[in-house]
Structures are given as C-alpha cells and as structure tokens.
Amino acid sequence: MSAALGPEWDEHAIGRAITPIRLQSYRSAARGDLHAALRLYDWNAVASAAVLMTVAMVEVITRNAMDSQLTAWAARRGERSWFDAIPLDGKALAALDHAFGKIEAGPCGNDFHGKVVAELSFGFWRMLVAQRYLTSLWVPALNKAFPHGYRDIRERRLRVERNLAALVAVRNRAAHHEPIHGRDLLADLRSAVEIATWVDVDAGAWVTARSPLESVVRRRPTAR
C-alpha cells in the first residue's frame, strides 16, 4: 500500500486534480468524506495493479493452451497454421487482421506465429469461446484447452466464457484507472484460479500462490 495521505498536501487540491466527477463513486462509498474517499482511491490503484498481475498470468496460460489446441486442430485439417483455417467473423476477424498488420509492419524475425499470438488481446481469446463458435471451434478443438473443467463440454464452454468475460471486464477497468472498489474482486480471483486450474492444475496452484489480490482485498480501507 502506498503512503497514507498526510498533512503535506491539501486534500481538496488533490480532489480537484482528480476531479469531483472521477471521485464521485469513491465519495459515495466513503459517505461523502473526502479523506476516506482519497484513501479508497489510493487503495483502488493498488487493487488495480493486483488485478493486472493476476489476469496477466491467466491470459498467458489461457492463450498458450488455446493456441496449442488450435494448432493441433489445423494440422489435422492439413493446414499450415490455424490463422489460415479459423472461421472467424466480425470483431474477432478484425482483431486477427489487425494483429497481422502490426506484426508484418515490424521486424518479426523467425517467430511470426508467436508474435501474432502475443499481439492478440485477451478479449480476442474470450471471443473464441463464444456460443457461435461451439461447433466450429469449441467442440473440435478449444474444449481440449481446458481438460480439467466440467465433463460436459457445453457446460465447460459456458463457464469458461463467463470467467473470461469477467476477467476481461475487470482487467479493462483496472488498465484504464476506473473504479473497481465496488466489484467482488475475490470472485474475480476465483474466476482466474478456476480458468488456470482447468488448463493445468499446477498452473492454478501457481496463480493462487502468486496473486496478491486476496491480501489486497483484506487491506481495503473502511469508511469512518
């Protein structure tokens, strides 16, 4: 936790610098008390960092597992890369095209595939587990990226989609310095651990051990 707000600065000046509109949710949670609102704002920044660290671990675990299964699926179809075979539409297709463009514009070396995978956003991978790709991607390939999930692969898909959607949402808010103090961050942590565990049990244990989110939540300031 960063140093507590002290007498060396004017809290009203800090409130004006952050802006009253941006502080509104914090003041509401703090029952109008500016000092308590600024403490909560400070905590929100620490919690956001914990969210970003936690989601970063899960994002890499998830995208690597999905990439591996898509690569195997494409090979069974006689395709050189899943980039050439995947039946995307709408935003997902646009995201893949955008990633291709960014990598092709720079020095990609010998790992074009890996650089494209890394360039694709977490939101892209969440889109791939949507219901509309159930028969084209989930059943033949992507369910195998989460082998330790529910036995029923339809229920597994639904739970994976819900967890990834929650993690994308909280990660986006944290990355854009938005309030997350009203979220159930422990539920987000459970989503992160479940997704990682469904990919690999040891990966789930690693996320559990390394995520600072639970300890940060315990240090959340309370209104006076």
Side-chain angles (χ1 to χ4, degrees):
M1 179 74 71
S2 60
L5 292 168
E8 62 270 23
W9 53 72
D10 183 339
E11 289 184 340
H12 291 283
I14 299 301
R16 290 192 298 271
I18 295 172
T19 75
I21 291 177
R22 193 165 186 82
L23 272 180
Q24 186 173 1
S25 73
Y26 302 93
R27 294 201 73 160
S28 178
R31 302 171 187 169
D33 184 283
L34 177 59
H35 177 77
L38 290 174
R39 288 181 63 235
L40 185 58
Y41 187 89
D42 188 42
W43 176 87
N44 194 90
V46 176
S48 294
V51 164
L52 293 176
M53 177 180 174
T54 303
V55 176
M57 291 188 285
V58 176
E59 179 175 0
V60 171
I61 291 166
T62 301
R63 78 185 185 201
N64 288 343
M66 293 174 69
D67 172 54
S68 177
Q69 292 303 325
L70 288 172
T71 297
W73 166 77
R76 291 193 297 270
R77 294 165 57 95
E79 299 284 355
R80 186 180 62 175
S81 169
W82 62 262
F83 299 153
D84 303 320
I86 194 165
L88 300 180
D89 55 22
K91 291 177 64 176
L93 180 59
L96 183 59
D97 287 343
H98 180 72
F100 261 68
K102 288 195 69 173
I103 302 306
E104 288 171 344
C108 59
N110 296 322
D111 190 22
F112 179 82
H113 182 99
K115 288 184 181 296
V116 171
V117 168
E119 183 63 34
L120 291 164
S121 71
F122 198 23
F124 172 83
W125 301 102
R126 172 255 178 273
M127 285 188 282
L128 294 194
V129 300
Q131 170 67 28
R132 65 181 176 278
Y133 296 123
L134 174 67
T135 57
S136 60
L137 294 178
W138 180 259
V139 172
L142 291 179
N143 79 87
K144 301 178 182 70
F146 307 93
H148 303 289
Y150 294 145
R151 180 171 297 181
D152 185 307
I153 64 172
R154 291 175 182 268
E155 290 185 12
R156 192 189 313 170
R157 186 210 64 79
L158 182 61
R159 186 61 166 263
V160 167
E161 182 180 21
R162 286 178 178 173
N163 283 349
L164 291 184
L167 294 177
V168 168
V170 71
R171 193 279 304 272
N172 288 348
R173 291 194 67 80
H176 290 95
H177 318 297
E178 295 294 331
I180 60 171
H181 61 85
R183 284 185 68 94
D184 184 348
L185 295 177
L186 292 182
D188 292 323
L189 177 58
R190 288 192 294 272
S191 292
V193 170
E194 183 170 87
I195 284 290
T197 301
W198 283 11
V199 172
D200 183 275
V201 173
D202 287 327
W206 179 61
V207 172
T208 300
R210 299 303 301 160
S211 172
L213 197 50
E214 184 174 0
S215 64
V216 169
V217 169
R218 288 200 301 266
R219 300 198 304 270
R220 187 186 194 278
T222 56
R224 292 184 296 185

